Amino acid sequence: MGVFATGYRRIVGCLALTALAVAGCGGKAGDDKPNNGSASGAPIIIGMDEDSTGSGASYSTIAGKTIRMAIQDVNNQGGVLGRPLQLVVENDESDPTKTPAVLQKLKSQGAKALFLQSGSAAIIQAKSTLTQLGIPAIAPTGVTATLVAPPDNELIYMLANTTTDWAQVYCGAFKAAGITKIGVLTDDTTTIAALDKALFAAMTCVQIVATEKGAGNASDLSAQVARLKNAKPDAVLVTSVGGAFEVLAQNTLGSQMAGTKRFSLASIGNQPSSWKLAAPGALNGLIFMGSINNENPRTQALVKMLQEKNGKDYDITAYDAQAWDSVHLLKQAIEKAGGVDDPKKLNEAIQSIKGYPATFGQANFTLSFGADKHLGADGPCGLSLVEFGSDNKPKGPWATFQPPCTK
């Protein structure tokens, strides 16, 4: 795995990759609307279901911003087949009951393909609607295997390693650290409920001695953590969408269970704005599931572009990288299909993509799709375990265990 030679936040020596040319589209966070750039002709309309106000907003807005930037980059380089990509956006608030209407509205606005940037439960609900609408979709930051599993998976795709792979990595970590019993602290969102069900079903290597749940808007988790402490676990795993709940959880665990090893999902590692909200040293020693590796030259190039746009202190997240790759994968599929007028042909073009060099994961990590492969990840090389330091910032790969990079 990569060594964070100058720290997680400073990645230098970025390569001048043509595919990652700087978009230069300016604007404040959240107000970027891609323009036609140097492309001409009739626009190709792409829809995005972006949760910007619900439980998934903490990660969806990060990915949504980079999706806009990537579309602008494509348009600045002449578009797709000479035509600009035009983005239309709706919000289902990660509420599965709202998802069908949101997707139908996006189609009514002319969308020929979709980005599903919402919670897992909402995306699962989207599958049958996609089948009815006949529109292919990519879930840029999805990690639950059921998102792309039958039934109704003919038109949905995702990029990153799933919770099944996460379970294997956690198990390798627990074995290496001599951990046999864990406690779980989880939020009450539907997104995490779906994730927990999939993750724990595959994580049979440890005994879960206690599970405690708190409201997503909780102001006190002391009672839950006290009960976890009484169960005497070897380690605690926090599963949440991140944000305020995760910060509160880590603050409380750091105070009440300072000597117990802590693990988390990818959420906290991909939300730099949350790090400064944690109490001093509260994240020290916390280990999270990461996907960013600074030895990947494509990651280096994306970091350079993000910092030129957002400031030199911008911290890249897996959400950024997966959002970027989703746009360029769709671009490649549209080019292969010769356009977007035939949805069946476009769907087959997505399935024909093989060996796409990913912007996240290790340097040799690739994404491939097929009629029976709607999860892009080629092996576990898209994952790593990252440890926080005493400054509440990721300091580098966890020395005790890293997943092997095999395909």
Side-chain angles (χ1 to χ4, degrees):
M1 303 299 295
V3 177
F4 285 49
T6 57
Y8 184 85
R9 302 180 71 220
R10 301 287 184 181
I11 301 177
V12 298
C14 301
L15 301 184
L17 300 182
T18 301
L20 297 178
V22 176
C25 48
K28 298 179 181 179
D31 69 357
D32 291 339
K33 183 175 181 180
N35 58 53
N36 290 352
S38 63
S40 60
I44 295 173
I45 300 176
I46 307 299
M48 177 164 66
D49 175 8
E50 177 189 25
D51 176 7
S52 56
T53 55
S55 62
S58 56
Y59 55 89
S60 290
T61 53
I62 296 173
K65 182 177 179 180
T66 302
I67 284 172
R68 291 171 174 85
M69 186 171 64
I71 287 176
Q72 187 65 65
D73 176 73
V74 168
N75 289 348
N76 286 353
Q77 296 185 58
V80 183
L81 302 175
R83 299 168 61 185
L85 296 180
Q86 180 178 312
L87 187 67
V88 293
V89 181
E90 296 293 337
N91 175 15
D92 70 2
E93 299 181 306
S94 292
D95 183 343
T97 66
K98 298 179 180 179
T99 305
V102 163
L103 301 194
Q104 290 166 2
K105 187 173 182 180
L106 289 169
K107 181 174 182 180
S108 72
Q109 295 176 66
K112 300 297 185 181
L114 302 176
F115 294 122
L116 303 180
Q117 193 46 63
S118 188
S120 296
I123 297 175
I124 290 173
Q125 181 62 44
K127 292 168 64 178
S128 59
T129 304
L130 291 174
T131 301
Q132 296 168 12
L133 299 177
I135 302 177
I138 297 174
T141 60
V143 294
T144 305
T146 50
L147 299 186
V148 292
D152 296 320
N153 69 327
E154 297 86 357
L155 293 165
I156 188 168
Y157 303 87
M158 53 187 275
L159 281 59
N161 295 91
T162 69
T163 48
T164 301
D165 294 326
W166 288 19
Q168 294 176 0
V169 173
Y170 281 131
C171 282
F174 296 152
K175 181 178 180 181
I179 294 168
T180 60
K181 299 182 298 180
I182 67 167
V184 175
L185 180 57
T186 186
D187 71 25
D188 65 349
T189 63
T190 55
T191 293
I192 292 301
L195 186 147
D196 283 351
K197 182 178 180 181
L199 177 62
F200 297 145
M203 206 165 69
T204 57
C205 58
V206 288
Q207 178 186 3
I208 299 177
V209 296
T211 300
E212 292 291 333
K213 182 182 294 187
N217 62 351
S219 59
D220 186 1
L221 294 171
S222 298
Q224 288 91 333
V225 172
R227 289 191 290 268
L228 286 176
K229 185 176 182 179
N230 288 338
K232 298 180 172 22
D234 300 321
V236 173
L237 172 63
V238 177
T239 61
S240 82
V241 295
F245 179 93
E246 180 85 24
V247 171
L248 178 61
Q250 299 303 338
N251 283 346
T252 311
L253 288 166
S255 174
Q256 295 184 216
M257 299 181 68
T260 304
K261 182 66 70 178
R262 286 174 287 153
F263 293 83
S264 190
L265 306 179
S267 306
I268 184 66
N270 287 314
Q271 295 170 5
S273 61
S274 295
W275 307 342
K276 62 175 71 98
L277 301 178
L283 302 183
N284 187 30
L286 172 64
I287 298 155
F288 69 89
M289 191 71 68
S291 298
I292 294 299
N293 187 299
N294 72 320
E295 291 188 350
N296 184 331
R298 296 170 300 280
T299 303
Q300 294 172 7
L302 182 57
V303 166
K304 180 178 180 180
M305 188 183 76
L306 288 167
Q307 291 183 343
E308 289 187 5
K309 174 175 173 54
N310 300 315
K312 60 184 179 63
D313 292 326
Y314 187 84
D315 296 286
I316 188 173
T317 70
Y319 306 144
D320 289 303
Q322 290 158 9
W324 179 270
D325 284 341
S326 294
V327 172
H328 285 271
L329 282 165
L330 183 58
K331 174 181 181 290
Q332 189 175 126
I334 294 172
E335 291 172 340
K336 283 175 172 282
V340 291
D341 294 333
D342 186 339
K344 180 179 179 181
K345 194 172 182 179
L346 178 58
N347 194 47
E348 291 173 347
I350 296 174
Q351 296 175 5
S352 72
I353 295 174
K354 313 294 181 187
Y356 173 92
T359 309
F360 61 101
Q362 300 181 46
N364 62 344
F365 180 57
T366 59
L367 304 170
S368 300
F369 300 93
D372 298 318
K373 187 179 187 297
H374 288 223
L375 168 62
D378 292 327
C381 302
L383 295 173
S384 63
L385 291 172
V386 183
E387 184 176 11
F388 276 93
S390 59
D391 60 353
N392 283 354
K393 298 173 185 176
K395 66 179 182 179
W398 187 40
T400 303
F401 176 79
Q402 289 298 322
C405 187
T406 56
K407 294 186 177 182

